[in-house]
């Protein structure tokens, strides 16, 4: 690290320390590799010195007194693997697989698969996702949480008040929105940095329309909560933005099967593709936090040299 960056990073840490309680939220709607961040609220404006990398994950690591940052700092100080918990349905199973292939134990990560097929936020009579997640997590901390639900949510529900709510109607959005808020709040009580992975295009036209509407609703809700939403549609679609079972490998140009035969799930290769950008972002967040910790403990004398 250059002396200039060391000074700037050290200044950022000191400024973060005096801005306790403030928070910065971000939304990332679009391609996981190309989406631009939008600062929703930035009370700690002093914690943005020139020369600091302002990627979303670096910005998250610089949140003033952020529980997620403190949790990850503790994990890194102890030399423990960074714990990444994945919640979802059968698509979430694939997301967990993709992350496990790229965030390996050898490189200091432990990806925990807490997903379960045939579940969703509209299926609480079958399985209450909040109760299940609380049981899975227990009292243990997690550093990063990844959520991916949706395909099973393309249906109406009976609300907690016993009323029927049609898919995407006002009552449906109110009820599901409350469940989403509580689920994210649960993960944040475990001091996790939270991400949401959206669904790709579906082959069947009706399901694609419903899933697209659900995707957009979840994206807006995550935006309001300051949770990064990873839109997988651009990376898993053809040049016209439509469903495609085969796509050209960007590295080799080779025609590659990226979807399963059901027209819903990705292939194993496809899951690695759609989680590649997220893996890089998680690494960026971890390395940014590691860099902050290194700057915090650097000798003060170095600043004046």
């Amino acid at each position: 690290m250059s002396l200039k960056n060391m000074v700037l990073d050290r200044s950022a840490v000191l400024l973060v320390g005096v801005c306790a309680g403030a928070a910065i939220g971000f939304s990332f709607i679009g391609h996981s590799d190309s989406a631009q961040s939008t600062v929703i609220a930035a009370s700690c404006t002093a914690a943005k010195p020139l020369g600091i990398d302002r990627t979303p994950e670096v910005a998250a690591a610089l949140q003033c007194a952020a529980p997620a940052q403190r949790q990850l700092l503790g994990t890194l100080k102890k030399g423990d693997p960074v714990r990444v918990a994945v919640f979802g349905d059968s698509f979430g199973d694939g997301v967990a697989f993709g992350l496990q292939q790229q965030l390996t134990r050898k490189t200091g990560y432990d990806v925990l698969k807490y997903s379960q097929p045939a579940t969703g936020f509209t299926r609480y009579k079958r399985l209450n996702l909040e109760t299940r997640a609380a049981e899975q997590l227990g009292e243990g901390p997690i550093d990063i949480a990844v959520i991916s639900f949706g395909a099973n949510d393309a249906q109406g529900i009976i609300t907690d008040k016993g009323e029927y709510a049609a898919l995407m109607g006002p009552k449906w959005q109110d009820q599901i929105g409350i469940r989403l808020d509580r689920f994210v709040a649960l993960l944040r009580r475990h001091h996790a940095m939270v991400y949401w992975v959206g669904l790709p295009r579906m082959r069947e036209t009706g399901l694609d329309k419903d899933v697209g509407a659900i995707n957009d609703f979840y994206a807006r809700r995550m935006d309001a909560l300051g949770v990064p939403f990873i839109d997988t549609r651009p990376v898993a679609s053809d040049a016209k933005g439509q469903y495609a079972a085969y796509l050209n490998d960007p590295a080799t140009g080779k025609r590659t099967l990226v979807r399963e035969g059901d027209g819903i799930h990705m292939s194993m290769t496809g899951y690695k593709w759609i989680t590649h950008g997220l893996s890089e972002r998680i690494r960026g967040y971890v390395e940014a936090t590691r860099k902050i910790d290194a700057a915090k403990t650097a000798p003060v004398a170095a600043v004046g040299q």
Side-chain angles (χ1 to χ4, degrees):
M1 183 187 302
S2 69
L3 176 58
K4 178 182 178 182
N5 287 337
M6 177 66 77
V7 173
L8 290 171
D9 283 353
R10 185 169 178 78
S11 299
V13 172
L14 293 175
L15 288 168
V16 166
V18 298
C19 297
I24 298 175
F26 300 91
S27 63
F28 319 105
I29 312 302
H31 193 301
S32 59
D33 287 319
S34 62
Q36 298 297 313
S37 66
T38 300
V39 178
I40 298 171
S43 300
C44 255
T45 53
K48 303 197 307 186
L50 297 175
I52 295 287
D53 183 357
R54 297 304 297 171
T55 58
E57 281 64 42
V58 173
L62 285 170
Q63 286 187 40
C64 302
Q69 181 198 353
R70 294 198 303 271
Q71 167 58 38
L72 181 56
L73 277 170
T75 295
L76 297 175
K77 281 180 178 295
K78 290 186 291 185
D80 292 342
V82 175
R83 289 164 56 86
V84 181
V86 182
F87 301 88
D89 47 25
S90 55
F91 196 87
D93 282 353
V95 169
F97 167 80
L99 291 175
Q100 286 170 343
Q101 300 304 300
Q102 297 166 93
L103 302 174
T104 64
R105 285 181 173 270
K106 186 177 180 180
T107 58
Y109 294 88
D110 186 10
V111 178
L112 310 170
K113 187 176 76 67
Y114 288 152
S115 51
Q116 184 169 333
T119 58
F121 286 96
T122 62
R123 296 192 169 195
Y124 269 31
K125 288 188 179 298
R126 182 181 186 276
L127 180 69
N128 184 306
L129 297 179
E130 299 157 49
T131 301
R132 177 60 173 163
E135 293 171 349
Q136 290 171 314
L137 292 171
E139 298 299 322
I142 54 174
D143 301 296
I144 295 163
V146 178
I147 312 170
S148 186
F149 288 97
N152 297 316
D153 289 335
Q155 58 182 316
I157 61 169
I158 301 299
T159 69
D160 292 346
K161 296 180 179 179
E163 302 172 324
Y164 176 72
L167 173 63
M168 291 306 299
K171 291 182 180 179
W172 188 96
Q173 293 192 38
D174 287 346
Q175 181 68 83
I176 300 304
I178 289 170
R179 292 175 182 178
L180 295 176
D181 292 353
R182 291 193 308 236
F183 196 83
V184 170
L186 167 65
L187 300 178
R188 284 176 166 166
R189 285 198 296 274
H190 284 263
H191 300 162
M193 171 73 172
V194 185
Y195 294 88
W196 187 294
V197 177
L199 296 178
R201 301 297 298 263
M202 302 287 116
R203 183 175 61 196
E204 196 275 313
T205 303
L207 179 60
D208 184 57
K209 181 179 178 181
D210 289 342
V211 167
I214 292 168
N215 250 351
D216 292 342
F217 171 70
Y218 288 169
R220 291 193 300 271
R221 202 75 185 197
M222 293 305 107
D223 179 38
L225 295 173
V227 171
F229 181 90
I230 311 301
D231 189 350
T232 64
R233 288 171 290 192
V235 73
S237 302
D238 64 17
K240 296 181 179 180
Q242 300 302 309
Y243 174 92
Y246 289 84
L247 291 172
N248 292 335
D249 187 315
T252 65
K254 182 179 179 181
R255 185 171 168 80
T256 304
L257 179 66
V258 296
R259 304 299 293 263
E260 290 289 351
D262 61 7
I264 298 173
H265 297 87
M266 306 298 296
S267 67
M268 293 298 99
T269 297
Y271 282 118
K272 287 191 285 187
W273 278 25
I274 65 170
T275 56
H276 174 71
L278 176 57
S279 298
E280 291 300 307
R281 289 166 67 151
I282 289 173
R283 289 193 192 96
Y285 172 54
V286 171
E287 291 310 308
T289 304
R290 198 188 307 275
K291 186 177 180 182
I292 290 168
D293 186 44
K296 185 176 180 180
T297 57
V300 176
V303 175
Q305 292 179 354

